[in-house]
Amino acid sequence: MAYMLYYWDGIPGRGEFVRLALEYAEAEYVDVARESGGTERLMAMLKGEHAVMVPFAPPFLKDGDVLVSHVANILLYLGDRLELAPADDAGRFHANGLQLTITDIVAEVHDCHHPIGTSLYYEEQKDEAKRRSENFLIDRLPKFLGYFEKVLAHNAQSGTFAVGSRLTYVDLSLFHLVDGLRYAFPQAMEGDHARYQRLLALHDHIRELPAIASYLASERRLDFNQSGIFRHYPELDALNGP
Amino acid sequence: MAYMLYYWDGIPGRGEFVRLALEYAEAEYVDVARESGGTERLMAMLKGEHAVMVPFAPPFLKDGDVLVSHVANILLYLGDRLELAPADDAGRFHANGLQLTITDIVAEVHDCHHPIGTSLYYEEQKDEAKRRSENFLIDRLPKFLGYFEKVLAHNAQSGTFAVGSRLTYVDLSLFHLVDGLRYAFPQAMEGDHARYQRLLALHDHIRELPAIASYLASERRLDFNQSGIFRHYPELDALNGP
């Protein structure tokens, strides 16, 4: 039976971390909201249509009777089933911890353009967004990327991947994180090749994998835009800009 | 062997969600940073002392050779071992999804007093904090608490708990969430008894459980203060205040 992925249509957003895992594993799945009538079906689930579980927000994944919400939780669930996670407990919890650190930086990237509230437009919080983004680029981005670089260096089992000896969903998410950061903050991300060598090498490695390359070239892959998590506002990318 | 909990000394903070699970289960554990020399041992772990895993930030839990980071991940790990989670897969992933929603509101509560950056003092971001808190109290708090109320109502297996028929770590975390919100936003939380009846009844139920009541009366329980996640700044609690 196909996995049913529920996520907002029109943006890569948080759903993209799940899509990449499904695509890499060549799993059968339906991107529900992109089908005809799909957004209505997504909304019905949010209103409590499922007998057991009401999700707080997309993305969530339905696999038969099981409903799993939140990116890291979905990837934990898929990790075992699609062989995208270490088989041992220590490795599985290690991978989940790394994924939750990715969750944290993704939330901070979102708050760069929405530091006051998601219910307000960007235009209503531009001054605060500029201040928050400056703090993010100076203080938080190097901390997170430096951390992931250290994680890759610390993994004695692989010269390429984050956990254990094989590719896991964490590596696919790191690929998307780098991709999104380069879209949102091209200036700030420029020239960091020496500093984040392993992380950028991982990004390049993932991009060339046949299943990923084919997905990226397909219509299933949505472009970054000004409605998702990763948005490009030049005024937020410039540390000493206007 | 005792669980080793690594979390900053002096604040309940995110570590408190883990402490409540350990205390309720009457598990043997060491709150490392509160021992003599403990903060140095915590810092050594953050610097990469553990052979396999470098945590990004506290809290993290060491159980023999296994190191688990992030609150929701630690609770997932302990849930199975301390019988604080449903035994079936659907229930386990359901519980983890709810815990991740708690993670999200906790991050938003933190950002009420630090909307621009954690590296800045509250005093450096007071104006933005006021604006963000207003948005949080009007828009986000009712959304989150209304959601948890709906989750409790939706659970056909129990009239009290969030998932399945028995108490899980999610219920203990909801207890602490309500506790923290009442400390941080006493005015905003007042008078919501009718609206969040099930959630507040769960809070009262947990508080009276013998293991929890005894923990709350002990020196192991730290008071909320102005350095943690839940902070009380009267100016952030008042919707139309000065």
Side-chain angles (χ1 to χ4, degrees):
Chain A
M1 195 161 38
Y3 293 108
M4 309 298 278
L5 170 63
Y6 292 79
Y7 192 68
W8 306 119
D9 187 21
I11 54 169
R14 289 184 168 87
E16 193 62 14
F17 295 98
V18 181
R19 284 191 202 101
L20 282 165
L22 292 164
E23 290 283 348
Y24 172 75
E26 303 183 71
E28 203 186 324
Y29 76 99
V30 178
D31 205 336
V32 175
R34 300 191 66 192
E35 308 261 296
S36 164
T39 297
E40 290 70 20
R41 280 150 67 204
L42 184 155
M43 295 309 293
M45 294 291 260
L46 287 177
K47 279 179 188 139
E49 193 188 59
H50 190 264
V52 178
M53 214 282 237
V54 195
F56 182 73
F60 46 92
L61 184 88
K62 196 168 174 307
D63 178 24
D65 286 342
V66 179
L67 194 63
V68 184
S69 71
H70 286 274
V71 170
N73 198 25
I74 297 170
L75 291 175
L76 185 74
Y77 183 85
L78 290 176
D80 292 339
R81 284 152 184 85
L82 303 177
E83 296 185 27
L84 287 176
D88 63 302
D89 243 14
R92 290 175 70 243
F93 283 95
H94 183 186
N96 189 38
L98 291 173
Q99 191 65 42
L100 289 170
T101 304
I102 297 172
T103 301
D104 284 350
I105 179 174
V106 167
E108 294 196 20
V109 167
H110 171 270
D111 283 8
C112 280
H113 50 76
H114 277 76
I116 300 302
T118 48
S119 59
L120 305 171
Y121 290 109
Y122 166 64
E123 287 68 24
E124 296 175 271
Q125 47 196 316
K126 277 185 83 163
D127 293 345
E128 294 92 341
K130 181 133 182 58
R131 225 187 139 198
R132 171 129 193 175
S133 297
E134 264 179 29
N135 185 277
F136 175 77
L137 293 179
I138 292 170
D139 191 57
R140 302 296 288 171
L141 184 65
K143 184 168 174 170
F144 277 107
L145 296 189
Y147 171 72
F148 292 123
E149 186 71 16
K150 189 160 73 173
V151 165
L152 291 166
H154 202 76
N155 183 10
Q157 288 185 65
S158 164
T160 308
F161 304 121
V163 190
S165 57
R166 294 172 48 225
L167 181 146
T168 67
Y169 60 77
V170 173
D171 301 306
L172 298 170
S173 290
L174 286 174
F175 161 79
H176 188 58
L177 175 65
V178 169
D179 232 41
L181 288 169
R182 280 181 171 169
Y183 171 79
F185 304 109
Q187 189 178 315
M189 289 293 286
E190 184 127 330
D192 273 342
H193 286 268
R195 214 162 157 191
Y196 309 123
Q197 222 162 355
R198 290 183 170 83
L199 188 60
L200 301 180
L202 174 64
H203 175 271
D204 292 349
H205 176 82
I206 303 270
R207 188 178 48 195
E208 305 300 332
L209 296 170
I212 296 296
S214 139
Y215 166 61
L216 296 178
S218 76
E219 284 188 358
R220 301 189 301 285
R221 166 79 167 189
L222 294 162
D223 288 335
F224 290 113
N225 59 50
Q226 298 303 71
S227 304
I229 303 286
F230 297 102
R231 304 190 190 181
H232 178 56
Y233 296 114
E235 63 272 24
L236 300 187
D237 185 24
L239 275 180
N240 300 302
Chain B
M1 194 160 39
Y3 292 109
M4 308 298 278
L5 171 63
Y6 292 79
Y7 192 68
W8 306 119
D9 187 22
I11 53 170
R14 290 186 167 86
E16 192 64 12
F17 295 99
V18 181
R19 284 192 202 100
L20 283 165
L22 292 164
E23 292 282 347
Y24 172 76
E26 303 184 71
E28 203 187 325
Y29 77 100
V30 178
D31 205 337
V32 176
R34 299 191 67 193
E35 308 261 296
S36 164
T39 297
E40 290 71 19
R41 280 149 68 203
L42 183 155
M43 294 309 294
M45 294 291 261
L46 287 177
K47 279 179 188 138
E49 195 188 58
H50 191 264
V52 178
M53 212 281 236
V54 195
F56 182 73
F60 45 93
L61 184 88
K62 196 169 174 305
D63 178 24
D65 286 342
V66 178
L67 194 62
V68 184
S69 71
H70 285 274
V71 170
N73 198 24
I74 297 170
L75 292 174
L76 184 73
Y77 183 83
L78 290 177
D80 291 339
R81 284 152 185 86
L82 304 177
E83 294 184 29
L84 288 176
D88 63 303
D89 244 14
R92 289 176 70 242
F93 282 96
H94 182 187
N96 189 37
L98 291 173
Q99 190 66 42
L100 288 170
T101 304
I102 297 173
T103 301
D104 284 349
I105 179 176
V106 167
E108 294 196 21
V109 167
H110 171 271
D111 282 8
C112 280
H113 50 75
H114 277 76
I116 300 301
T118 49
S119 59
L120 304 172
Y121 291 110
Y122 166 64
E123 287 68 23
E124 297 176 89
Q125 46 195 317
K126 277 184 82 162
D127 292 346
E128 295 93 341
K130 181 134 183 56
R131 227 187 136 197
R132 170 130 192 175
S133 297
E134 264 179 30
N135 186 277
F136 175 77
L137 293 178
I138 291 170
D139 191 55
R140 302 296 287 171
L141 185 66
K143 182 167 175 173
F144 277 106
L145 296 188
Y147 170 72
F148 292 122
E149 186 72 15
K150 189 161 71 171
V151 165
L152 290 166
H154 202 76
N155 182 10
Q157 288 186 64
S158 164
T160 308
F161 304 121
V163 190
S165 56
R166 295 172 47 226
L167 180 146
T168 67
Y169 62 76
V170 173
D171 301 305
L172 298 171
S173 291
L174 287 173
F175 161 79
H176 187 58
L177 175 66
V178 170
D179 232 40
L181 288 169
R182 281 180 170 171
Y183 171 78
F185 303 109
Q187 188 179 315
M189 289 293 287
E190 186 128 326
D192 273 341
H193 287 268
R195 212 161 157 193
Y196 309 124
Q197 223 163 355
R198 286 166 215 269
L199 187 59
L200 301 179
L202 174 64
H203 175 271
D204 292 349
H205 175 83
I206 303 269
R207 189 177 48 194
E208 304 300 332
L209 297 171
I212 296 296
S214 139
Y215 166 62
L216 296 178
S218 77
E219 285 189 356
R220 301 189 301 285
R221 168 79 167 188
L222 294 161
D223 288 335
F224 290 113
N225 58 51
Q226 297 303 71
S227 303
I229 303 286
F230 295 103
R231 304 189 189 181
H232 178 57
Y233 295 114
E235 64 273 23
L236 301 187
D237 184 24
L239 274 181
N240 300 303

